[in-house]
Amino acid sequence: MLSNEPVSNIKGIGEKMEAELAEIGIHSVEDFLNYVPFRYDIKEIKPLTELQHNEKATLVGKVVSEPSLTFYGRKKSRIVLTLEVEHIAVKAVFFNQAFVKKQLQRDDIVTVTGKWDMHRLQITVSQFKKGTVKTNDTIQPVYPLKGDLTLRSLRKNMKAALHTYEKQIEETLPEEFLTNYKIPSRSQSLKQIHFPDNRILLKHAKRRFIYEELLLFQLKMQLLRKQKREAAKGTAKEINKKLVQDYVQKLPFALTGAQQKVVKEILRDLESAYRMNRLLQGDVGSGKTVVAAIGLYAALTAGKQGALMVPTEILAEQHYDSLKELFEGYGEIVLLTGSVKGKKRKEILRKLVENEADIVIGTHALIQDDVFFHDLGFVIVDEQHRFGVEQRRTLRDKGLFPDVLFMTATPIPRTMAITTFGDMDVSIIDEMPKGRKPVETFWVKDNMLERVLNFIQKEVQQGHQAYMICPLIEESDKLDIQNAVDVYHQLEAHFPESIKVGLMHGRLHSDEKDEVMKKFANNEVQVLVSTTVVEVGVNVPNATVMVIYDAERFGLSQLHQLRGRVGRGHAQSYCILMADPKGDVGKERMRIMTETNDGFELSEEDLKLRGPGDFFGKKQSGLPEFKMADLIQDYRALETARQDAVTIIESGKFFSDPAYAPLRHLVEKDAVIQGQILD
Ligand code: ADP
Ligand code: MG
């Protein structure tokens, strides 16, 4: 096998080269062949009329003038000569390449590459070659090089390696994949990757390796998922379907199609002997809470208790209020937060242990040591990214193999969901309840503040409320808090007595925060100046205006979350972005915000603008590094690879069918499987 054959067996690779290669992790012939270019310099010869001004271009022409050499400055020189290209005279200029004068004569045919000046019909040559280029020289592979390794020696040795070992290059993909997807064999592809004959063959070769890379990744993910499922044996719950149906029917509204689908998925998980490990994504206002309620009720009909954990007290209280309504006459529901203390707390803990309470809604207070359940069967974590792995695990461990559902209102682009959450099941609510009025979004310049304030005043006088968000990069950033405080004073002075202004930021004590939020929720405060602490889940349906200062400082997803705080009632709502973005990306963000209300579309756009590394923040991204695949460009291949991986693993043949042996080998070689964000 080529993986056992030392790289020094390749003709022309001596001790020195061997050492150089070892430096970059190349030991075997196999390693060497897999050392692929990271890009290609493409010298395509195009008609003159298609060349772009100031862009790199390659021309073939005949020298029709004597090269004239001039010296200037200390050691600088310039050669100018005329080329005839397509019967047109083109000037070629060479800087500091005096030797060219000796090499090029009248009537020589030459290929030159350089920067094209469309107006002067002139090319500033950076590379040239006598004669016309062969087509396979027009695509130049560029390798990552280190130390004394040169492109020249690398290419020479690669040629030798391919020549000697071509016949021994093993195919990794099963025959049927090659046929179905019309992809070239591994040996053909490697040849094209290192020495491309033309763009099309190169494209197919790349396509092959991208697919192979993604398939391997997905196989690992699916194996991991299977392992987790098998290790995490849950308990099959005996749900009373009839009761659940009645419950759904008695809701004040009909479920959307997306909600129905997700409910089905959740019920199926609850009934199965596997432990649920599911992520539920749904845009703000898409109706995740009801879905959670149905799931909790279903578990209840199977005699199990349920817990819903949320990141803030405000949210816990809101959820408690809405779920209490939804469970009127169906079950006993309790609230457990940091502010529930003393006797009251003791009573709730007693109810949970003695199975008098069916469902508990709470914050971190739920995971304290003295909280016990009679039989916790279903755990839901809302806004899961706000909790650490440990916290989620602690809650889960309070039950005996409970099913776990994570919910998030931050839509994750599909490609990201597949890669980062590939080992979980993902449910998506991608449909809004009927009759919602989309929030109207405007982008205005900073100097429009006066008009924005007048608009707020008008809305407030009609009985509505408004948020004013000031940017906050970090919770502890003093300057930003000062910013919010300043705006607060400014608005207090600006508005008449009758309009009460409130202030909210991360430095406030949690009691103070709750106090402010309560006042806003009760319309005792009409305008709330705040940092982004209101971003998550807060529900004040009477608020119709969301103003965001310095909106260019936020990412798209965050802007969308903030916008989701309005448009929750019956009245038309507005989002006003105040921003003077300097760069194109900033402008693009504002434009996208005014054009779509769809969180998934926004998250895809965000991903495109920021790139995958930045999307989750570099540290916690957990994204795999791919050699060739690009998660954004190759999302279709990613989906296909995922489907194929699921099929292969579920067929049960992955470990027995010889057709999968090479893939199996590659999977097993990589013990570390990346891509786990959620425990
Ligand atoms: P999310 O938690 O996803 O942001 P919620 O569950 O809070 O959304 O739902 C937002 C609002 O929409 C709630 O007032 C809820 O009662 C209502 N709602 C949920 N599902 C539907 C539906 N199918 N039809 C009409 N209204 C719905
Ligand atoms: Mg919610």
Side-chain angles (χ1 to χ4, degrees):
M1 275 205 309
L2 294 182
S3 50
N4 297 329
E5 193 132 353
V7 72
S8 53
N9 283 9
I10 296 169
K11 216 173 109 199
I13 295 192
E15 256 173 55
K16 196 163 158 281
M17 179 87 177
E18 190 183 2
E20 290 284 343
L21 290 173
E23 282 284 307
I24 49 175
I26 297 176
H27 305 283
S28 66
V29 172
E30 181 76 42
D31 294 341
F32 190 61
L33 291 173
N34 283 328
Y35 196 64
V36 298
F38 68 95
R39 71 177 164 86
Y40 296 83
D41 272 345
I42 298 190
K43 297 183 194 165
E44 200 177 24
I45 297 162
K46 291 185 184 166
L48 285 181
T49 51
E50 282 177 26
L51 300 183
Q52 301 286 321
H53 182 59
N54 274 343
E55 299 273 311
K56 209 168 163 185
T58 299
L59 304 173
V60 181
K62 189 162 88 176
V63 180
V64 292
S65 77
E66 211 52 53
S68 83
L69 172 65
T70 48
F71 287 93
Y72 63 101
R74 272 184 134 224
K75 283 184 201 151
K76 294 181 179 153
S77 72
R78 176 172 57 220
I79 287 181
V80 180
L81 56 81
T82 309
L83 291 175
E84 187 193 309
V85 183
E86 299 170 24
H87 305 295
I88 289 170
V90 168
K91 208 168 253 176
V93 185
F94 301 72
F95 286 102
N96 307 320
Q97 300 170 73
F99 59 90
V100 171
K101 182 153 171 77
K102 287 214 187 77
Q103 294 187 357
L104 291 181
Q105 266 98 46
R106 217 182 252 268
D107 292 337
D108 279 347
I109 300 292
V110 64
T111 305
V112 292
T113 298
K115 193 158 137 183
W116 175 242
D117 184 329
M118 188 172 84
H119 309 298
R120 300 157 114 171
L121 292 178
Q122 174 176 313
I123 186 163
T124 307
V125 180
S126 51
Q127 274 179 310
F128 79 99
K129 202 173 168 185
K130 265 172 103 162
T132 52
V133 277
K134 288 189 239 92
T135 38
N136 59 359
D137 277 340
T138 58
I139 310 175
Q140 283 270 355
V142 186
Y143 295 85
L145 296 169
K146 238 184 169 176
D148 288 336
L149 208 58
T150 64
L151 182 64
R152 212 189 165 83
S153 61
L154 191 82
R155 274 171 67 84
K156 202 180 100 225
N157 293 311
M158 194 61 81
K159 199 159 216 154
L162 281 166
H163 184 77
T164 315
Y165 296 104
E166 185 183 346
K167 294 258 152 49
Q168 295 174 55
I169 293 175
E170 245 198 305
E171 181 54 62
T172 40
L173 294 173
E175 190 66 41
E176 58 166 303
F177 287 60
L178 303 185
T179 330
N180 287 353
Y181 300 137
K182 296 193 174 58
I183 43 185
S185 71
R186 179 145 178 276
S187 128
Q188 278 173 329
S189 303
L190 276 175
K191 256 165 68 187
Q192 290 301 323
I193 285 287
H194 293 295
F195 299 96
D197 282 322
N198 59 50
R199 270 177 191 246
I200 294 173
L201 291 178
L202 175 61
K203 198 175 107 189
H204 287 303
K206 277 187 174 170
R207 197 161 63 84
R208 179 217 148 83
F209 287 115
I210 287 169
Y211 174 74
E212 181 177 325
E213 195 171 30
L214 294 172
L215 180 67
L216 273 173
F217 172 70
Q218 290 296 346
L219 281 169
K220 287 177 205 166
M221 284 300 231
Q222 293 309 317
L223 283 171
L224 193 74
R225 178 161 158 247
K226 189 162 170 260
Q227 267 168 21
K228 274 196 174 181
R229 282 191 141 211
E230 281 165 9
K233 280 267 188 296
T235 40
K237 295 174 184 58
E238 282 178 36
I239 293 171
N240 186 328
K241 280 262 174 64
K242 177 86 183 51
L243 286 180
V244 177
Q245 258 169 25
D246 287 350
Y247 180 79
V248 172
Q249 228 133 61
K250 292 216 174 83
L251 288 172
F253 43 73
L255 294 183
T256 62
Q259 282 172 321
Q260 283 173 24
K261 190 172 129 256
V262 170
V263 164
K264 240 187 231 153
E265 289 165 346
I266 290 173
L267 295 189
R268 202 180 53 213
D269 280 1
L270 288 172
E271 285 184 310
S272 90
Y274 288 128
R275 191 198 299 179
M276 178 195 305
N277 182 33
R278 184 173 286 279
L279 178 71
L280 170 56
Q281 293 188 61
D283 212 343
V284 278
S286 62
K288 292 184 294 298
T289 311
V290 192
V291 169
I294 298 169
L296 289 166
Y297 180 64
L300 197 157
T301 68
K304 300 285 180 183
Q305 289 173 298
L308 169 62
M309 183 161 73
V310 301
T312 66
E313 295 215 353
I314 303 167
L315 261 184
E317 283 171 25
Q318 277 178 10
H319 271 304
Y320 175 68
D321 289 339
S322 48
L323 286 173
K324 211 163 90 178
E325 235 171 82
L326 288 167
F327 274 93
E328 197 76 63
Y330 289 95
E332 169 79 9
I333 181 165
V334 292
L335 175 71
L336 186 60
T337 65
S339 352
V340 179
K341 290 183 184 124
K343 253 189 169 162
K344 224 171 140 194
R345 180 164 187 274
K346 259 199 187 133
E347 175 62 5
I348 285 171
L349 296 188
R350 186 194 63 76
K351 281 184 170 177
L352 287 174
V353 164
E354 294 179 8
N355 205 19
E356 270 177 44
D358 302 306
I359 289 155
V360 60
I361 316 294
T363 54
H364 298 82
L366 284 180
I367 52 177
Q368 283 173 1
D369 289 341
D370 59 346
V371 180
F372 297 99
F373 290 82
H374 170 73
D375 186 2
L376 178 63
F378 189 22
V379 168
I380 304 178
V381 181
D382 195 12
E383 303 298 341
Q384 52 82 18
H385 56 282
R386 299 261 157 166
F387 294 98
V389 171
E390 267 314 309
Q391 294 172 322
R392 299 191 295 238
R393 184 179 297 145
T394 310
L395 180 58
R396 196 186 67 194
D397 288 348
K398 291 195 181 283
L400 188 67
F401 308 127
D403 286 307
V404 184
L405 178 71
F406 298 102
M407 302 203 293
T408 179
T410 310
I412 300 160
R414 221 167 136 62
T415 45
M416 302 293 275
I418 288 182
T419 46
T420 28
F421 302 112
D423 59 333
M424 297 181 84
D425 297 305
V426 178
S427 291
I428 298 178
I429 305 185
D430 52 4
E431 180 186 354
M432 285 288 176
K434 282 194 196 68
R436 284 281 161 79
K437 286 196 190 101
V439 177
E440 278 183 37
T441 303
F442 302 97
W443 167 25
V444 303
K445 297 286 166 67
D446 290 345
N447 59 19
M448 303 270 281
L449 181 63
E450 190 73 25
R451 283 178 64 181
V452 171
L453 293 183
N454 287 342
F455 179 72
I456 291 178
Q457 191 161 339
K458 238 178 60 202
E459 280 288 307
V460 170
Q461 277 157 359
Q462 286 172 24
H464 301 307
Q465 290 165 275
Y467 294 94
M468 293 284 261
I469 305 296
C470 303
L472 173 96
I473 302 299
E474 290 199 24
E475 290 280 317
S476 60
D477 198 328
K478 268 196 198 145
L479 269 181
D480 287 324
I481 288 176
Q482 194 50 48
N483 191 5
V485 175
D486 287 347
V487 171
Y488 167 72
H489 289 308
Q490 193 188 350
L491 295 195
E492 263 208 317
H494 175 92
F495 287 127
E497 276 287 303
S498 60
I499 297 180
K500 291 277 176 293
V501 184
L503 174 65
M504 171 88 154
H505 59 69
R507 282 284 180 92
L508 294 181
H509 194 270
S510 71
D511 295 349
E512 294 172 300
K513 275 191 221 163
D514 280 352
E515 184 66 25
V516 177
M517 261 338 278
K518 262 179 208 149
K519 280 192 175 154
F520 190 60
N522 296 334
N523 202 1
E524 288 163 48
V525 159
Q526 286 78 42
V527 179
L528 182 64
V529 177
S530 175
T531 58
T532 50
V533 287
V534 298
E535 177 191 339
V536 170
V538 170
N539 188 26
V540 180
N542 192 45
T544 54
V545 186
M546 166 62 65
V547 179
I548 305 172
Y549 271 101
D550 293 333
E552 75 267 21
R553 289 173 66 181
F554 296 103
L556 274 178
S557 299
Q558 207 177 5
L559 289 173
H560 183 60
Q561 278 297 310
L562 288 167
R563 176 167 63 185
R565 296 312 106 215
V566 295
R568 304 177 79 84
H570 299 293
Q572 176 62 53
S573 290
Y574 308 90
C575 174
I576 300 168
L577 307 168
M578 302 188 64
D580 283 314
K582 298 285 173 292
D584 289 342
V585 174
K587 287 184 185 138
E588 186 65 10
R589 277 205 197 114
M590 297 308 127
R591 192 189 58 73
I592 295 167
M593 279 295 293
T594 58
E595 283 177 6
T596 181
N597 268 302
D598 180 328
F600 281 97
E601 196 180 325
L602 274 163
S603 74
E604 298 282 356
E605 296 288 344
D606 205 16
L607 180 60
K608 274 185 214 150
L609 287 179
R610 288 205 272 174
D614 255 12
F615 191 78
F616 283 111
K618 282 214 165 52
K619 261 187 236 130
Q620 55 154 336
S621 86
L623 280 177
E625 296 243 350
F626 292 114
K627 226 156 71 177
M628 287 214 196
D630 176 315
L631 288 184
I632 300 170
Q633 276 174 31
D634 304 320
Y635 73 96
R636 275 211 217 128
L638 183 68
E639 297 244 9
T640 310
R642 178 180 162 86
Q643 263 312 310
D644 290 339
V646 170
T647 313
I648 293 172
I649 300 300
E650 281 180 2
S651 75
K653 288 190 197 145
F654 186 61
F655 289 99
S656 54
D657 192 332
Y660 298 124
L663 281 175
R664 203 160 62 225
H665 220 80
L666 290 171
V667 167
E668 280 162 359
K669 223 168 64 181
D670 186 357
V672 188
I673 297 176
Q674 295 168 301
Q676 288 172 272
I677 289 189
L678 299 177
D679 175 43

